[in-house]
mmCIF file of all heavy atoms in Angstrom:
data_model
loop_
_atom_site.group_PDB
_atom_site.id
_atom_site.type_symbol
_atom_site.label_atom_id
_atom_site.label_comp_id
_atom_site.label_asym_id
_atom_site.label_seq_id
_atom_site.Cartn_x
_atom_site.Cartn_y
_atom_site.Cartn_z
ATOM 1 N N LEU A 1 87.262 87.806 115.828
ATOM 2 C CA LEU A 1 87.642 89.210 115.747
ATOM 3 C C LEU A 1 86.821 90.041 116.723
ATOM 4 O O LEU A 1 87.352 90.896 117.437
ATOM 5 C CB LEU A 1 87.415 89.698 114.313
ATOM 6 C CG LEU A 1 87.976 91.057 113.913
ATOM 7 C CD1 LEU A 1 89.480 91.079 114.064
ATOM 8 C CD2 LEU A 1 87.597 91.366 112.469
ATOM 9 N N THR A 2 85.514 89.777 116.784
ATOM 10 C CA THR A 2 84.646 90.468 117.744
ATOM 11 C C THR A 2 85.075 90.167 119.174
ATOM 12 O O THR A 2 84.985 91.027 120.056
ATOM 13 C CB THR A 2 83.179 90.041 117.545
ATOM 14 O OG1 THR A 2 82.799 90.280 116.187
ATOM 15 C CG2 THR A 2 82.248 90.799 118.473
ATOM 16 N N PHE A 3 85.576 88.951 119.371
ATOM 17 C CA PHE A 3 86.020 88.552 120.712
ATOM 18 C C PHE A 3 87.460 88.968 121.012
ATOM 19 O O PHE A 3 88.033 88.551 122.017
ATOM 20 C CB PHE A 3 85.888 87.034 120.872
ATOM 21 C CG PHE A 3 84.467 86.528 120.827
ATOM 22 C CD1 PHE A 3 84.159 85.332 120.190
ATOM 23 C CD2 PHE A 3 83.439 87.247 121.405
ATOM 24 C CE1 PHE A 3 82.853 84.854 120.143
ATOM 25 C CE2 PHE A 3 82.126 86.791 121.368
ATOM 26 C CZ PHE A 3 81.830 85.593 120.729
ATOM 27 N N GLY A 4 88.067 89.765 120.113
ATOM 28 C CA GLY A 4 89.384 90.345 120.390
ATOM 29 C C GLY A 4 90.577 89.490 120.019
ATOM 30 O O GLY A 4 91.684 89.722 120.522
ATOM 31 N N SER A 5 90.405 88.538 119.122
ATOM 32 C CA SER A 5 91.514 87.665 118.741
ATOM 33 C C SER A 5 92.435 88.368 117.734
ATOM 34 O O SER A 5 92.015 88.740 116.644
ATOM 35 C CB SER A 5 90.974 86.369 118.129
ATOM 36 O OG SER A 5 92.013 85.633 117.508
ATOM 37 N N THR A 6 93.707 88.532 118.064
ATOM 38 C CA THR A 6 94.673 89.131 117.145
ATOM 39 C C THR A 6 95.013 88.176 116.011
ATOM 40 O O THR A 6 95.320 88.614 114.895
ATOM 41 C CB THR A 6 95.961 89.519 117.895
ATOM 42 O OG1 THR A 6 96.465 88.366 118.593
ATOM 43 C CG2 THR A 6 95.683 90.623 118.905
ATOM 44 N N ASN A 7 94.964 86.878 116.266
ATOM 45 C CA ASN A 7 95.217 85.900 115.203
ATOM 46 C C ASN A 7 94.164 86.015 114.097
ATOM 47 O O ASN A 7 94.477 85.945 112.907
ATOM 48 C CB ASN A 7 95.204 84.472 115.764
ATOM 49 C CG ASN A 7 96.395 84.175 116.639
ATOM 50 O OD1 ASN A 7 97.428 84.834 116.517
ATOM 51 N ND2 ASN A 7 96.273 83.198 117.524
ATOM 52 N N ALA A 8 92.902 86.180 114.497
ATOM 53 C CA ALA A 8 91.819 86.312 113.522
ATOM 54 C C ALA A 8 91.994 87.568 112.680
ATOM 55 O O ALA A 8 91.760 87.567 111.468
ATOM 56 C CB ALA A 8 90.469 86.346 114.233
ATOM 57 N N LEU A 9 92.429 88.650 113.302
ATOM 58 C CA LEU A 9 92.636 89.904 112.590
ATOM 59 C C LEU A 9 93.667 89.731 111.476
ATOM 60 O O LEU A 9 93.430 90.104 110.320
ATOM 61 C CB LEU A 9 93.087 90.988 113.570
ATOM 62 C CG LEU A 9 93.263 92.398 113.021
ATOM 63 C CD1 LEU A 9 91.954 92.952 112.509
ATOM 64 C CD2 LEU A 9 93.831 93.315 114.104
ATOM 65 N N ALA A 10 94.796 89.136 111.807
ATOM 66 C CA ALA A 10 95.860 88.936 110.817
ATOM 67 C C ALA A 10 95.412 87.983 109.717
ATOM 68 O O ALA A 10 95.690 88.204 108.529
ATOM 69 C CB ALA A 10 97.111 88.391 111.515
ATOM 70 N N SER A 11 94.693 86.931 110.097
ATOM 71 C CA SER A 11 94.256 85.933 109.127
ATOM 72 C C SER A 11 93.245 86.518 108.149
ATOM 73 O O SER A 11 93.309 86.257 106.938
ATOM 74 C CB SER A 11 93.657 84.729 109.856
ATOM 75 O OG SER A 11 93.223 83.753 108.942
ATOM 76 N N LEU A 12 92.299 87.319 108.660
ATOM 77 C CA LEU A 12 91.285 87.905 107.791
ATOM 78 C C LEU A 12 91.887 88.927 106.832
ATOM 79 O O LEU A 12 91.505 89.005 105.657
ATOM 80 C CB LEU A 12 90.186 88.560 108.636
ATOM 81 C CG LEU A 12 89.231 87.585 109.327
ATOM 82 C CD1 LEU A 12 88.400 88.300 110.382
ATOM 83 C CD2 LEU A 12 88.307 86.911 108.316
ATOM 84 N N ARG A 13 92.832 89.718 107.299
ATOM 85 C CA ARG A 13 93.502 90.676 106.409
ATOM 86 C C ARG A 13 94.211 89.929 105.275
ATOM 87 O O ARG A 13 94.121 90.328 104.107
ATOM 88 C CB ARG A 13 94.538 91.483 107.189
ATOM 89 C CG ARG A 13 93.973 92.569 108.069
ATOM 90 C CD ARG A 13 95.106 93.277 108.779
ATOM 91 N NE ARG A 13 94.656 94.216 109.781
ATOM 92 C CZ ARG A 13 95.437 94.671 110.754
ATOM 93 N NH1 ARG A 13 96.686 94.243 110.865
ATOM 94 N NH2 ARG A 13 94.974 95.548 111.621
ATOM 95 N N LYS A 14 94.904 88.865 105.632
ATOM 96 C CA LYS A 14 95.626 88.081 104.626
ATOM 97 C C LYS A 14 94.657 87.474 103.612
ATOM 98 O O LYS A 14 94.910 87.473 102.409
ATOM 99 C CB LYS A 14 96.427 86.975 105.325
ATOM 100 C CG LYS A 14 97.276 86.128 104.390
ATOM 101 C CD LYS A 14 98.061 85.082 105.166
ATOM 102 C CE LYS A 14 98.879 84.210 104.222
ATOM 103 N NZ LYS A 14 99.643 83.169 104.972
ATOM 104 N N ARG A 15 93.513 86.988 104.095
ATOM 105 C CA ARG A 15 92.538 86.333 103.224
ATOM 106 C C ARG A 15 91.915 87.357 102.247
ATOM 107 O O ARG A 15 91.708 87.046 101.069
ATOM 108 C CB ARG A 15 91.442 85.684 104.071
ATOM 109 C CG ARG A 15 90.637 84.615 103.333
ATOM 110 C CD ARG A 15 89.649 83.963 104.273
ATOM 111 N NE ARG A 15 90.297 83.273 105.368
ATOM 112 C CZ ARG A 15 90.805 82.052 105.310
ATOM 113 N NH1 ARG A 15 90.737 81.373 104.188
ATOM 114 N NH2 ARG A 15 91.373 81.500 106.363
ATOM 115 N N VAL A 16 91.633 88.559 102.738
ATOM 116 C CA VAL A 16 91.049 89.587 101.884
ATOM 117 C C VAL A 16 91.971 89.924 100.718
ATOM 118 O O VAL A 16 91.527 90.103 99.574
ATOM 119 C CB VAL A 16 90.742 90.864 102.702
ATOM 120 C CG1 VAL A 16 90.474 92.051 101.788
ATOM 121 C CG2 VAL A 16 89.542 90.637 103.605
ATOM 122 N N MET A 17 93.260 89.994 100.976
ATOM 123 C CA MET A 17 94.210 90.440 99.949
ATOM 124 C C MET A 17 94.710 89.304 99.064
ATOM 125 O O MET A 17 95.446 89.548 98.104
ATOM 126 C CB MET A 17 95.408 91.133 100.619
ATOM 127 C CG MET A 17 95.031 92.304 101.510
ATOM 128 S SD MET A 17 93.937 93.534 100.707
ATOM 129 C CE MET A 17 95.042 94.164 99.448
ATOM 130 N N ASP A 18 94.292 88.080 99.356
ATOM 131 C CA ASP A 18 94.748 86.919 98.583
ATOM 132 C C ASP A 18 93.806 86.680 97.407
ATOM 133 O O ASP A 18 92.724 86.118 97.552
ATOM 134 C CB ASP A 18 94.800 85.684 99.490
ATOM 135 C CG ASP A 18 95.374 84.457 98.787
ATOM 136 O OD1 ASP A 18 95.660 84.536 97.568
ATOM 137 O OD2 ASP A 18 95.537 83.416 99.451
ATOM 138 N N ALA A 19 94.225 87.093 96.221
ATOM 139 C CA ALA A 19 93.370 86.994 95.027
ATOM 140 C C ALA A 19 93.105 85.556 94.610
ATOM 141 O O ALA A 19 92.190 85.303 93.818
ATOM 142 C CB ALA A 19 94.006 87.762 93.874
ATOM 143 N N SER A 20 93.856 84.602 95.134
ATOM 144 C CA SER A 20 93.644 83.196 94.774
ATOM 145 C C SER A 20 92.489 82.574 95.550
ATOM 146 O O SER A 20 92.011 81.497 95.209
ATOM 147 C CB SER A 20 94.920 82.387 95.022
ATOM 148 O OG SER A 20 95.222 82.320 96.409
ATOM 149 N N GLN A 21 92.034 83.260 96.594
ATOM 150 C CA GLN A 21 90.935 82.742 97.412
ATOM 151 C C GLN A 21 89.599 82.921 96.677
ATOM 152 O O GLN A 21 89.448 83.798 95.817
ATOM 153 C CB GLN A 21 90.872 83.490 98.748
ATOM 154 C CG GLN A 21 92.039 83.237 99.668
ATOM 155 C CD GLN A 21 91.910 81.924 100.414
ATOM 156 O OE1 GLN A 21 90.820 81.423 100.641
ATOM 157 N NE2 GLN A 21 93.036 81.352 100.796
ATOM 158 N N ASP A 22 88.613 82.108 97.044
ATOM 159 C CA ASP A 22 87.273 82.254 96.494
ATOM 160 C C ASP A 22 86.732 83.646 96.819
ATOM 161 O O ASP A 22 86.888 84.138 97.937
ATOM 162 C CB ASP A 22 86.354 81.178 97.088
ATOM 163 C CG ASP A 22 84.967 81.212 96.467
ATOM 164 O OD1 ASP A 22 84.786 80.575 95.421
ATOM 165 O OD2 ASP A 22 84.096 81.885 97.028
ATOM 166 N N LEU A 23 86.088 84.293 95.829
ATOM 167 C CA LEU A 23 85.631 85.668 95.994
ATOM 168 C C LEU A 23 84.624 85.809 97.136
ATOM 169 O O LEU A 23 84.667 86.781 97.888
ATOM 170 C CB LEU A 23 85.015 86.175 94.688
ATOM 171 C CG LEU A 23 84.560 87.637 94.668
ATOM 172 C CD1 LEU A 23 85.717 88.570 94.998
ATOM 173 C CD2 LEU A 23 83.973 87.985 93.306
ATOM 174 N N SER A 24 83.728 84.845 97.296
ATOM 175 C CA SER A 24 82.728 84.938 98.370
ATOM 176 C C SER A 24 83.388 84.893 99.742
ATOM 177 O O SER A 24 82.958 85.580 100.676
ATOM 178 C CB SER A 24 81.696 83.817 98.236
ATOM 179 O OG SER A 24 82.287 82.553 98.446
ATOM 180 N N VAL A 25 84.453 84.111 99.859
ATOM 181 C CA VAL A 25 85.191 84.029 101.122
ATOM 182 C C VAL A 25 85.892 85.354 101.403
ATOM 183 O O VAL A 25 85.896 85.852 102.536
ATOM 184 C CB VAL A 25 86.216 82.870 101.070
ATOM 185 C CG1 VAL A 25 87.134 82.896 102.280
ATOM 186 C CG2 VAL A 25 85.481 81.532 100.995
ATOM 187 N N ARG A 26 86.481 85.945 100.373
ATOM 188 C CA ARG A 26 87.155 87.240 100.544
ATOM 189 C C ARG A 26 86.143 88.324 100.934
ATOM 190 O O ARG A 26 86.439 89.180 101.775
ATOM 191 C CB ARG A 26 87.875 87.635 99.254
ATOM 192 C CG ARG A 26 89.026 86.702 98.876
ATOM 193 C CD ARG A 26 89.637 87.116 97.552
ATOM 194 N NE ARG A 26 90.341 88.382 97.671
ATOM 195 C CZ ARG A 26 90.537 89.223 96.653
ATOM 196 N NH1 ARG A 26 90.032 88.958 95.459
ATOM 197 N NH2 ARG A 26 91.217 90.347 96.837
ATOM 198 N N ARG A 27 84.968 88.285 100.324
ATOM 199 C CA ARG A 27 83.938 89.275 100.654
ATOM 200 C C ARG A 27 83.500 89.152 102.110
ATOM 201 O O ARG A 27 83.332 90.146 102.813
ATOM 202 C CB ARG A 27 82.733 89.108 99.733
ATOM 203 C CG ARG A 27 82.925 89.698 98.346
ATOM 204 C CD ARG A 27 81.726 89.443 97.467
ATOM 205 N NE ARG A 27 81.877 90.054 96.154
ATOM 206 C CZ ARG A 27 81.265 89.644 95.067
ATOM 207 N NH1 ARG A 27 80.438 88.608 95.128
ATOM 208 N NH2 ARG A 27 81.450 90.251 93.911
ATOM 209 N N THR A 28 83.302 87.920 102.560
ATOM 210 C CA THR A 28 82.895 87.701 103.950
ATOM 211 C C THR A 28 83.969 88.190 104.906
ATOM 212 O O THR A 28 83.677 88.811 105.933
ATOM 213 C CB THR A 28 82.605 86.212 104.194
ATOM 214 O OG1 THR A 28 81.585 85.767 103.292
ATOM 215 C CG2 THR A 28 82.135 85.969 105.620
ATOM 216 N N ALA A 29 85.227 87.914 104.558
ATOM 217 C CA ALA A 29 86.342 88.369 105.400
ATOM 218 C C ALA A 29 86.377 89.898 105.465
ATOM 219 O O ALA A 29 86.587 90.486 106.536
ATOM 220 C CB ALA A 29 87.662 87.831 104.856
ATOM 221 N N LEU A 30 86.156 90.552 104.319
ATOM 222 C CA LEU A 30 86.162 92.018 104.292
ATOM 223 C C LEU A 30 85.002 92.587 105.102
ATOM 224 O O LEU A 30 85.168 93.556 105.853
ATOM 225 C CB LEU A 30 86.087 92.499 102.839
ATOM 226 C CG LEU A 30 86.088 94.019 102.626
ATOM 227 C CD1 LEU A 30 87.295 94.663 103.288
ATOM 228 C CD2 LEU A 30 86.057 94.341 101.134
ATOM 229 N N GLU A 31 83.827 91.985 104.979
ATOM 230 C CA GLU A 31 82.672 92.430 105.772
ATOM 231 C C GLU A 31 82.979 92.342 107.263
ATOM 232 O O GLU A 31 82.583 93.216 108.045
ATOM 233 C CB GLU A 31 81.451 91.581 105.438
ATOM 234 C CG GLU A 31 80.852 91.864 104.061
ATOM 235 C CD GLU A 31 79.828 90.823 103.641
ATOM 236 O OE1 GLU A 31 79.518 89.936 104.482
ATOM 237 O OE2 GLU A 31 79.342 90.866 102.494
ATOM 238 N N SER A 32 83.688 91.300 107.658
ATOM 239 C CA SER A 32 84.024 91.123 109.073
ATOM 240 C C SER A 32 84.976 92.206 109.552
ATOM 241 O O SER A 32 84.811 92.762 110.645
ATOM 242 C CB SER A 32 84.655 89.740 109.283
ATOM 243 O OG SER A 32 83.767 88.725 108.874
ATOM 244 N N LEU A 33 85.975 92.523 108.740
ATOM 245 C CA LEU A 33 86.928 93.568 109.118
ATOM 246 C C LEU A 33 86.249 94.931 109.175
ATOM 247 O O LEU A 33 86.547 95.748 110.045
ATOM 248 C CB LEU A 33 88.087 93.595 108.119
ATOM 249 C CG LEU A 33 89.024 92.378 108.167
ATOM 250 C CD1 LEU A 33 89.957 92.371 106.973
ATOM 251 C CD2 LEU A 33 89.832 92.371 109.462
ATOM 252 N N LEU A 34 85.322 95.180 108.253
ATOM 253 C CA LEU A 34 84.586 96.446 108.271
ATOM 254 C C LEU A 34 83.664 96.530 109.483
ATOM 255 O O LEU A 34 83.546 97.581 110.109
ATOM 256 C CB LEU A 34 83.774 96.594 106.983
ATOM 257 C CG LEU A 34 84.580 96.886 105.714
ATOM 258 C CD1 LEU A 34 83.717 96.718 104.473
ATOM 259 C CD2 LEU A 34 85.169 98.290 105.767
ATOM 260 N N ALA A 35 83.029 95.397 109.818
ATOM 261 C CA ALA A 35 82.127 95.386 110.978
ATOM 262 C C ALA A 35 82.891 95.648 112.267
ATOM 263 O O ALA A 35 82.376 96.292 113.188
ATOM 264 C CB ALA A 35 81.400 94.045 111.059
ATOM 265 N N ALA A 36 84.129 95.139 112.337
ATOM 266 C CA ALA A 36 84.953 95.347 113.532
ATOM 267 C C ALA A 36 85.660 96.688 113.506
ATOM 268 O O ALA A 36 86.301 97.076 114.471
ATOM 269 C CB ALA A 36 85.979 94.227 113.644
ATOM 270 N N LYS A 37 85.565 97.398 112.363
ATOM 271 C CA LYS A 37 86.252 98.672 112.138
ATOM 272 C C LYS A 37 87.734 98.546 112.454
ATOM 273 O O LYS A 37 88.290 99.276 113.285
ATOM 274 C CB LYS A 37 85.607 99.812 112.929
ATOM 275 C CG LYS A 37 85.903 101.176 112.282
ATOM 276 C CD LYS A 37 85.106 102.306 112.875
ATOM 277 C CE LYS A 37 85.394 103.595 112.098
ATOM 278 N NZ LYS A 37 84.667 104.743 112.645
ATOM 279 N N ASP A 38 88.376 97.618 111.757
ATOM 280 C CA ASP A 38 89.821 97.435 111.860
ATOM 281 C C ASP A 38 90.510 98.776 111.610
ATOM 282 O O ASP A 38 90.385 99.372 110.542
ATOM 283 C CB ASP A 38 90.257 96.387 110.823
ATOM 284 C CG ASP A 38 91.758 96.223 110.738
ATOM 285 O OD1 ASP A 38 92.479 96.740 111.612
ATOM 286 O OD2 ASP A 38 92.216 95.566 109.778
ATOM 287 N N ALA A 39 91.267 99.252 112.591
ATOM 288 C CA ALA A 39 91.852 100.590 112.525
ATOM 289 C C ALA A 39 92.840 100.761 111.379
ATOM 290 O O ALA A 39 93.080 101.883 110.921
ATOM 291 C CB ALA A 39 92.534 100.907 113.858
ATOM 292 N N ASN A 40 93.440 99.665 110.912
ATOM 293 C CA ASN A 40 94.455 99.752 109.857
ATOM 294 C C ASN A 40 93.937 99.290 108.500
ATOM 295 O O ASN A 40 94.728 98.920 107.626
ATOM 296 C CB ASN A 40 95.674 98.907 110.260
ATOM 297 C CG ASN A 40 96.323 99.405 111.539
ATOM 298 O OD1 ASN A 40 96.592 100.596 111.676
ATOM 299 N ND2 ASN A 40 96.550 98.516 112.479
ATOM 300 N N LEU A 41 92.619 99.341 108.314
ATOM 301 C CA LEU A 41 92.037 98.778 107.100
ATOM 302 C C LEU A 41 92.069 99.734 105.906
ATOM 303 O O LEU A 41 92.076 99.291 104.755
ATOM 304 C CB LEU A 41 90.594 98.343 107.375
ATOM 305 C CG LEU A 41 89.905 97.495 106.312
ATOM 306 C CD1 LEU A 41 90.678 96.213 106.045
ATOM 307 C CD2 LEU A 41 88.479 97.163 106.722
ATOM 308 N N ALA A 42 92.092 101.042 106.139
ATOM 309 C CA ALA A 42 91.969 102.000 105.031
ATOM 310 C C ALA A 42 93.001 101.781 103.918
ATOM 311 O O ALA A 42 92.633 101.766 102.737
ATOM 312 C CB ALA A 42 92.042 103.429 105.561
ATOM 313 N N PRO A 43 94.304 101.589 104.215
ATOM 314 C CA PRO A 43 95.267 101.362 103.126
ATOM 315 C C PRO A 43 94.956 100.102 102.308
ATOM 316 O O PRO A 43 95.162 100.095 101.089
ATOM 317 C CB PRO A 43 96.606 101.223 103.865
ATOM 318 C CG PRO A 43 96.407 101.954 105.151
ATOM 319 C CD PRO A 43 94.983 101.707 105.518
ATOM 320 N N LEU A 44 94.437 99.063 102.966
ATOM 321 C CA LEU A 44 94.069 97.848 102.232
ATOM 322 C C LEU A 44 92.870 98.111 101.332
ATOM 323 O O LEU A 44 92.820 97.633 100.188
ATOM 324 C CB LEU A 44 93.756 96.708 103.208
ATOM 325 C CG LEU A 44 94.874 96.249 104.136
ATOM 326 C CD1 LEU A 44 94.436 95.026 104.934
ATOM 327 C CD2 LEU A 44 96.133 95.914 103.354
ATOM 328 N N LEU A 45 91.894 98.866 101.830
ATOM 329 C CA LEU A 45 90.729 99.207 101.017
ATOM 330 C C LEU A 45 91.146 100.025 99.788
ATOM 331 O O LEU A 45 90.605 99.837 98.695
ATOM 332 C CB LEU A 45 89.715 99.998 101.845
ATOM 333 C CG LEU A 45 89.033 99.244 102.994
ATOM 334 C CD1 LEU A 45 88.187 100.200 103.829
ATOM 335 C CD2 LEU A 45 88.174 98.108 102.472
ATOM 336 N N GLN A 46 92.097 100.906 99.965
ATOM 337 C CA GLN A 46 92.584 101.699 98.830
ATOM 338 C C GLN A 46 93.251 100.806 97.779
ATOM 339 O O GLN A 46 93.082 101.022 96.579
ATOM 340 C CB GLN A 46 93.548 102.772 99.331
ATOM 341 C CG GLN A 46 92.857 103.851 100.149
ATOM 342 C CD GLN A 46 93.802 104.654 101.016
ATOM 343 O OE1 GLN A 46 95.026 104.504 100.932
ATOM 344 N NE2 GLN A 46 93.265 105.517 101.864
ATOM 345 N N GLN A 47 93.970 99.784 98.236
ATOM 346 C CA GLN A 47 94.556 98.824 97.290
ATOM 347 C C GLN A 47 93.479 98.063 96.527
ATOM 348 O O GLN A 47 93.628 97.753 95.352
ATOM 349 C CB GLN A 47 95.456 97.835 98.028
ATOM 350 C CG GLN A 47 96.727 98.422 98.596
ATOM 351 C CD GLN A 47 97.576 97.358 99.290
ATOM 352 O OE1 GLN A 47 97.828 96.286 98.746
ATOM 353 N NE2 GLN A 47 98.001 97.672 100.509
#
């Protein structure tokens, strides 16, 4: 994501919203999206 990969962006968003995933993995994915300041993250955070 830091290196500009669009595939990583989509994958991390999907992982964050997938409640079946391990919580620690979802947290790490969310931290990554926040660190990159994903421009479309606010609606997901509200969910």
Side-chain angles (χ1 to χ4, degrees):
L1 191 61
T2 304
F3 295 142
S5 168
T6 54
N7 290 337
L9 184 63
S11 180
L12 286 167
R13 284 180 188 161
K14 183 179 178 181
R15 199 176 297 278
V16 165
M17 304 309 294
D18 185 356
S20 66
Q21 292 280 334
D22 185 86
L23 184 58
S24 66
V25 171
R26 295 177 69 206
R27 282 177 178 155
T28 302
L30 180 55
E31 288 168 5
S32 301
L33 291 169
L34 288 168
K37 204 170 184 181
D38 174 12
N40 298 311
L41 191 58
L44 299 186
L45 293 173
Q46 291 161 7
Q47 291 181 49

